[in-house]
Amino acid sequence: MDATAPAQARAMSAEAAVVRRFVHRHGPFAWAHAAAPGVAGARTWHYWWHAHLLHAFSDAQQHRPDPRRARLLRELHRGITLRTLGRWTTPFYDDVAWMTLALQRYDVGDRRLDRLVRRLDEAIDPDVGTLPWAVGSSLYNAPATSPTAIALASTARRGTAVDLDAWVAATLDDPRTGLVRDGIEHGVVRSELWTYNQGVAIGSALALAETAPDADSRDAHLARAAGLVDAVERWCAADEGLFPAAGGGDGGLFAGILARYLAEATIRFADDRTSEEHLAVSRRAQRLVRVNADALWRGRRGDLFPADPRRAARAEGDDLDLSVQLGAWITLEADVAASAITS
C-alpha cells in the first residue's frame, strides 16, 4: 500500500480548491486573484504569491504527474511573463529570490533564470555581507538572504551562498532560542520570530550540505539544519507542535514555507540510516509536518482552510486570502513528501 495515499488525497483536495477559487485562465495565460470574489482587492496580482503558486504546482506535479497540470503551469508562466512585461523581476529582492527558487523547482534552465540569479548576486552589499530586502532599503533580512543562499547553492556562486548562510547564523541567530530573527536595520536587530525564516534557514543549510565539496563541510551544514529543526520543535512544544500563525496577507504563506523545508529535512536526514541521530532528526521534522497538516485538515470547512490551525475555517476575513489557502496546500504537499519516509 502506498504510504502517501492519504496525504496525496488531502493535497489533491487543497490543490483543486485553490484552482477553483483563485486561478483564472485568459486564453493562453493564467494567473491567480489575491482573494475570494467579493473581498476588497480580490483581483490584485501578487508577484511573490505567484512564486509560491508555481512552486506548489511543481511539487504537485512531482507527486501526482498530470498533463492538465503541466498545461496550467505553462499558462501561469505565460501569465507572469505578461504581468512583469517579460522581466520576471521586481524591486524586492526577497521576492526575486522566491521566484528564482520556483523556477529552479520547475527546472527552467534558460536565460530568464540566469538573469534572476545574476540580479541576486549583484545586489549583495560587500560592506554588509548580504543583499537588502529591496532596492534602496536599509533592511537586511532572513527572507531575502536565505532564499538567495538556496538559489545560489547549486550554481557556480556556491561560495557566495556559504557566506550568506554564515551571515544569517552570525547576525540573526538568537543565542537564547536558536531560532532565526527577522533582520537588521541601521544596526538594530529586528527580533521578530517568523516561521518562514526558520524554514529557509533550514533549506539553506540543506542545500549547502547537498552541494558540499567534502564530508566535513557537509556535516557542518547538516549540524546547522538539525539544530534549527530542534529549535523549531522547542518553539512549538507548548502548542503540541503547531506552528505560530501569522494571519492573512503575506503571513498566510509563512507556515507552509516552514513545512516545505521541514519535509526536505525529513528526507535528507532519513537518507543516512547509519546514524540514529540523523534518523531522530528526520522523525522530529516529519512529526512537525504531520501535526500541522492534520490540524489544517481538521479545521477545514467545505474546501476552505483556516489561517490558524487551532480553529476551524471561516468564510470571512483572512481565510479568504489566496495566501492562506495556498499556504495550507503547501503544507499538505509537504506532508506528501514527508509521508514517503518510513522508520
Side-chain angles (χ1 to χ4, degrees):
M1 179 179 176
D2 181 4
T4 70
Q8 291 276 25
R10 300 196 305 190
M12 287 174 63
S13 178
E15 176 187 7
V18 166
V19 172
R20 183 167 54 251
R21 183 175 284 113
F22 301 104
V23 177
H24 299 264
R25 284 181 157 106
H26 307 273
F29 306 99
W31 52 76
H33 289 173
V39 176
R43 295 173 69 87
T44 302
W45 188 86
H46 283 280
Y47 177 98
W48 95 282
W49 295 10
H50 274 76
H52 289 286
L53 186 66
L54 288 183
H55 203 139
F57 273 119
S58 295
D59 287 344
Q61 188 65 0
Q62 182 184 60
H63 297 155
R64 303 175 298 280
D66 188 317
R68 294 168 298 180
R69 186 187 299 107
R71 184 169 61 251
L72 178 55
L73 260 168
R74 291 192 295 270
E75 293 168 357
L76 286 166
H77 274 257
R78 295 189 197 107
I80 295 170
T81 300
L82 180 65
R83 288 284 190 158
T84 62
L85 302 178
R87 292 192 293 266
W88 277 75
T89 192
T90 171
F92 298 94
Y93 291 120
D94 58 341
D95 294 359
V96 174
W98 296 115
M99 188 65 77
T100 304
L101 294 180
L103 291 176
Q104 288 178 332
R105 183 71 176 87
Y106 189 51
D107 198 22
V108 173
D110 59 17
R111 286 180 294 179
R112 169 184 33 173
L113 183 54
D114 293 339
R115 186 168 65 248
L116 294 184
V117 167
R118 187 169 60 252
R119 180 173 174 80
L120 293 170
D121 186 49
E122 292 173 350
I124 295 170
D125 184 337
D127 294 330
V128 177
T130 188
L131 69 171
W133 167 62
V135 174
S137 175
S138 57
L139 171 62
Y140 297 84
N141 64 3
T145 303
S146 292
T148 299
I150 300 171
L152 299 184
S154 60
T155 73
R157 298 170 172 86
R158 183 185 183 279
T160 301
V162 171
D163 293 342
L164 294 174
D165 186 72
W167 181 89
V168 170
T171 310
L172 300 182
D173 278 14
D174 180 1
R176 184 177 62 85
T177 64
L179 297 167
V180 176
R181 296 169 291 185
D182 189 55
I184 186 168
E185 188 171 18
H186 301 303
V188 178
V189 173
R190 293 169 54 155
S191 60
E192 296 91 347
L193 299 173
W194 300 109
T195 46
Y196 74 147
N197 290 339
Q198 318 316 313
V200 287
I202 292 168
S204 174
L206 294 173
L208 290 169
E210 183 68 22
T211 58
D214 54 63
D216 287 345
S217 175
R218 179 199 64 211
D219 291 346
H221 291 301
L222 286 177
R224 173 156 174 76
L228 288 162
V229 171
D230 289 347
V232 170
E233 185 179 47
R234 291 192 301 271
W235 187 33
C236 300
D239 249 343
E240 299 183 347
L242 293 181
F243 301 148
D250 288 347
L253 287 166
F254 290 2
I257 293 167
L258 174 56
R260 174 185 290 150
Y261 291 105
L262 283 170
E264 288 194 9
T266 300
I267 295 165
R268 178 61 185 84
F269 283 103
D271 283 346
D272 186 1
R273 294 190 173 272
T274 63
S275 168
E276 281 299 323
E277 181 181 353
H278 282 187
L279 286 175
V281 174
S282 176
R283 287 191 289 268
R284 290 197 291 273
Q286 184 184 50
R287 177 184 175 274
L288 286 166
V289 175
R290 173 53 57 85
V291 162
N292 283 274
D294 286 350
L296 286 168
W297 191 254
R298 284 194 305 270
R300 189 178 72 131
R301 294 296 179 267
D303 62 358
L304 202 65
F305 291 91
D308 187 337
R310 295 155 189 80
R311 63 163 173 82
R314 306 165 183 151
E316 60 183 12
D318 292 341
D319 295 355
L320 298 181
D321 285 355
L322 164 64
S323 59
V324 169
Q325 300 308 308
L326 176 56
W329 175 23
I330 292 169
T331 299
L332 293 171
E333 291 292 354
D335 190 42
V336 174
S339 295
I341 304 302
T342 56
S343 300

